[in-house]
Amino acid sequence: MLSSIASQVLHRSAAKNCFRSLATTSAFPPPRLFDYETVTSNLTVGDAISSVEEAFAALAQGNVDVPMPMHIGISESSVAGPGDCHIKGGYIDATPTFTVKLACVSFYKNAEKGLPAGSGIFVVVNAVTGAPLGIFQENRFMTDLRTGAAGAVAMKHCSTPSQDTVGFIGTGAIARNMARAAAAVRPFKGIAYALDKAMAEDFAKEMGEELGMPFEIAVSAESLCNNSDVIFTQTPGSSTVLKKEWLKESGVTIIASGSDQPTKQEIPNDVLVASKYISDLTKQTSKVGELRGALQAGVMTESDVYAELGEIVNGDKPGREGNEIIVVDLTGTGAQDAAIGQVAWDKLSQM
């Protein structure tokens, strides 16, 4: 009896030692952490454009797994908020990594603490083992880069070289990346408008000096629209920012990136109805983009979507064909996050 008990104890002890050894030898190494300074000093919108363009092409071909974004609303209380958290991610077929992104926005009380209203991280994961490779403390920097890159893709494929006057409604961080991205497509004359005139003046001065292109300030959004061939809108989206009668009759391309929640809309429904409407991802723009408002108003259906941007990139459908209004609705897709995540890992992991 004692011999049997002793044998069982020995077997259990051996099994525990075996599991300990297995756990020790098969544990994944910890992911590398790239802080904000490292990310911002080594990545540019130029790094992202070609990879984001390829991601849109793959998305249209059904070669990207992109789940719907998750939204967590942080209600205001004595111990939290207000704020919002968006979680996106995706995997592009035949690439060595996938990405999950957590972006926190609209934490407006942070200003009282001397902190920005937004923050965020990218987690880049090994697509072979499923182990996290890197955590990028990007605080929306990489998000803004991939958004700017999408703007470049939209401008390249949905406007013509003769459309060289480019307006920017909203002049924050995203607008700067849109301007840099547009400059990678073609030289242009820039026009800026923001409710905060000083902010618009700073934008025009800084972008003019950085890009070596002329920028001027518009006295109103109407004046900007009257004179712009391409219009980038990147505002908080709490109200519409232009009117149909303001737009040039010779045709205009509107690239809207301000709507990413069901409460936002930058472009009026009558403009959407009159346009060749192009989404970045229809299943997403119908829920959180410009299209959502037109669907809810009953003035458009999903069958009115001309194309997704990747279809234009692939040449499945033409972009600009004449003096038409084109609206490109950019809500930001997990495909873009996967693309910029791969770029960031490839570049920064070599440091």
Side-chain angles (χ1 to χ4, degrees), residues 105-162:
V105 298
S106 305
F107 282 79
Y108 297 119
K109 283 189 174 180
N110 283 358
E112 302 168 5
K113 307 176 182 69
L115 297 171
S119 64
I121 60 170
F122 272 60
V123 181
V124 177
V125 184
N126 188 316
V128 177
T129 66
L133 294 170
I135 297 174
F136 297 79
Q137 185 194 24
E138 50 90 44
N139 294 345
R140 294 191 55 79
F141 180 80
M142 287 167 60
T143 294
D144 291 347
L145 288 188
R146 60 83 152 144
T147 301
V153 174
M155 181 172 168
K156 174 182 175 181
H157 292 278
C158 301
S159 68
T160 64
S162 63

Side-chain angles (χ1 to χ4, degrees), residues 157-172:
H157 292 278
C158 301
S159 68
T160 64
S162 63
Q163 292 184 295
D164 58 1
T165 301
V166 180
F168 300 87
I169 299 179
T171 55

Side-chain angles (χ1 to χ4, degrees), residues 183-267:
V185 176
R186 71 177 71 102
F188 63 86
K189 172 187 173 184
I191 307 176
Y193 174 76
L195 294 177
D196 185 330
K197 184 178 179 181
M199 192 172 178
E201 290 173 345
D202 289 344
F203 170 84
K205 180 177 183 296
E206 292 170 13
M207 289 295 96
E209 291 174 353
E210 178 181 329
L211 302 177
M213 298 178 189
F215 275 77
E216 64 182 49
I217 306 299
V219 296
S220 64
E222 180 176 2
S223 173
L224 181 147
C225 292
N226 289 165
N227 293 285
S228 297
D229 303 308
V230 177
I231 302 171
F232 287 93
T233 64
Q234 48 280 313
T235 70
S238 55
S239 60
T240 56
V241 298
L242 52 79
K243 294 183 179 180
K244 183 173 178 287
E245 56 266 29
W246 297 350
L247 304 175
K248 293 178 71 171
E249 293 184 359
S250 57
V252 61
T253 298
I254 301 168
I255 301 169
S257 61
S259 294
D260 58 2
Q261 295 181 41
T263 57
K264 296 181 177 182
Q265 185 170 355
E266 291 187 304
I267 311 303

Side-chain angles (χ1 to χ4, degrees), residues 269-322:
N269 287 338
D270 63 338
V271 174
L272 296 172
V273 170
S275 75
K276 177 186 281 186
Y277 171 87
I278 299 169
S279 70
D280 57 2
L281 186 61
T282 303
K283 72 175 185 179
Q284 194 166 290
T285 63
S286 63
K287 301 293 190 298
V288 298
E290 301 298 331
L291 180 60
R292 175 203 56 79
L295 294 177
Q296 287 187 347
V299 295
M300 288 179 70
T301 68
E302 289 192 21
S303 64
D304 294 316
V305 175
Y306 170 72
E308 291 187 344
L309 183 55
E311 295 178 275
I312 310 297
V313 171
N314 288 332
D316 298 330
K317 294 184 179 181
R320 176 161 295 283
E321 297 177 280

Side-chain angles (χ1 to χ4, degrees), residues 31-50:
R32 292 182 61 182
L33 175 63
F34 300 92
D35 63 21
Y36 182 74
E37 288 71 22
T38 300
V39 171
T40 57
S41 60
N42 287 282
L43 293 176
T44 69
V45 70
D47 293 322
I49 292 174
S50 62

